[in-house]
Each structure stands twice: as C-alpha cells, then as structure tokens.
Amino acid sequence: MKRIQRTLLPWLIILIGLIILFVIYNQKQTVDIDKEMPTQLHPVVQEKKEVFINKAASRNIEVVITDGLRTIQEQNELYEQGRETEGRTITNAKGGQSYHNYGLAIDYALRSKTGKVIWNIDYDGNGNGKSDWLEAASIAKGLGFEWGGDWKTFKDYPHLQMTFGLSINQLQRGIRPGKERR
C-alpha cells in the first residue's frame, strides 16, 4: 500500500499543479473583450465583401449584406433570441464568441427579381438551373471566406467569415490579424 502511495503521490501533485495552471491560464483568457474591439470590418473582409457582391452581380445574382460587425451587446441580444426572448434560435455564439464581434464575418441574403430580400437557398433567380445561394457561397469561398453552410453542426447558410488562422480564444486575448493578411 505504501508503495502505491509513493508512486501515486508525485503524479497527484503533478495533476494538481496542471489543474492550477489551467485555471490560471483560463482566467487570463477572460480579458475585457469590450476593450479595443474593432469598430468596423477588417479591411481585407471589407475588400472581399465588395468583390463578392460584384462577382455575384456578374452572374445576375444580387447579394445583400444583412450583417457585418456586431457589438458584444448586439451579439448577446441575438444569442438570447429563442432562449430568453421570442423568436427562433439563430446563433450559438454569445458576445465575444463570434467572428462578427471582431469584424471578420458578414451575413448575406439574396434579392429576388421582385426586389424582396430572401433567404431561400433553393432560389434560382438567374435561371441557370443552379441555386443562386450556393453559387454565391462558391464565389465567397473562392475569395477566401469560410461558409457557415459547410459546418458539420448548426449550419449557418447566411454566414461568411475570414479567421486569418485565429481562433475565437486568440481574438478574445486581443490577438488581431494584420491588415495585410489574406
């Protein structure tokens, strides 16, 4: 029994030390995310957004950008929708957990021939036998956007983001992509 205790004690001490380090590290990750938050879309995202709209228009697809940069408060309000307020759940991201909060994401819809803004992923307004929504998503992906429709869970068809290789955790810690990153 003493032999087991002598063997386990160092491992127990190491484990406790690792847990303490993990807790300390994660406390540092919860920085004030309202501090030094972007006030507009990242310049590369802004540029690619315009190219996206124009390339889609060249295929007779009118893309409408429905959302871009969101404040932490706006994100929290969207998160509460379908949980604490009326409506359907539209996001799993709380404030600070969305690429929208860092100016790295946009949402889009389409404008139909009648001028109505629609979110119908089967709509074929240009009459080429293909979904305009999927054509638009393909254009966006070709420009370097990640499309929410490709996600394994909680597919978010209107969502496009550029992560620049950064995780939400890194963004929360204040790491930002440079203006030249593509």
Side-chain angles (χ1 to χ4, degrees):
M1 186 69 165
K2 283 193 174 207
R3 183 175 175 204
I4 293 173
Q5 288 176 339
R6 278 190 303 212
T7 305
L8 289 179
L9 186 61
W11 287 109
L12 185 58
I13 291 169
I14 290 170
L15 180 62
I16 291 171
L18 288 173
I19 291 170
I20 290 169
L21 286 173
F22 178 80
V23 169
I24 291 169
Y25 178 79
N26 281 322
Q27 284 177 342
K28 287 186 176 185
Q29 304 313 306
T30 57
V31 296
D32 181 5
I33 54 180
D34 287 325
K35 192 175 181 184
E36 298 184 33
M37 294 298 286
T39 57
Q40 58 191 12
L41 286 176
H42 185 279
V44 174
V45 175
Q46 178 65 35
E47 174 192 330
K48 298 294 183 171
K49 175 188 86 166
E50 298 302 326
V51 173
F52 169 55
I53 292 168
N54 292 329
K55 281 191 170 209
S58 73
R59 293 190 190 177
N60 292 322
I61 301 170
E62 188 175 351
V63 167
V64 177
I65 303 302
T66 59
D67 211 351
L69 178 78
R70 289 186 199 137
T71 65
I72 300 299
Q73 180 180 345
E74 290 169 331
Q75 188 68 38
N76 282 331
E77 288 170 5
L78 287 175
Y79 180 79
E80 289 172 5
Q81 185 177 319
R83 292 176 177 87
E84 297 177 27
T85 63
E86 293 282 323
R88 64 180 182 83
T89 301
I90 59 169
T91 184
N92 281 335
K94 294 179 181 178
Q97 298 175 346
S98 171
Y99 284 96
H100 283 284
N101 301 137
Y102 304 95
L104 303 177
I106 58 175
D107 289 340
Y108 75 98
L110 303 177
R111 188 174 315 278
S112 71
K113 296 295 180 196
T114 62
K116 184 178 177 186
V117 175
I118 59 171
W119 285 264
N120 179 348
I121 64 170
D122 297 319
Y123 177 73
D124 179 20
N126 63 6
N128 66 356
K130 300 175 187 172
S131 159
D132 289 357
W133 197 281
L134 299 181
E135 285 184 83
S138 178
I139 292 167
K141 291 187 319 185
L143 294 170
F145 283 101
E146 177 184 324
W147 179 47
D150 286 334
W151 295 345
K152 301 268 186 265
T153 59
F154 198 82
K155 294 202 180 273
D156 190 354
Y157 294 103
H159 184 83
L160 299 169
Q161 66 186 30
M162 288 187 169
T163 67
F164 299 93
L166 297 173
S167 69
I168 289 294
N169 187 281
Q170 289 172 309
L171 292 166
Q172 288 173 332
R173 292 191 338 250
I175 298 170
R176 300 289 185 266
K179 290 179 172 53
E180 73 287 344
R181 291 179 88 164
R182 293 185 191 265

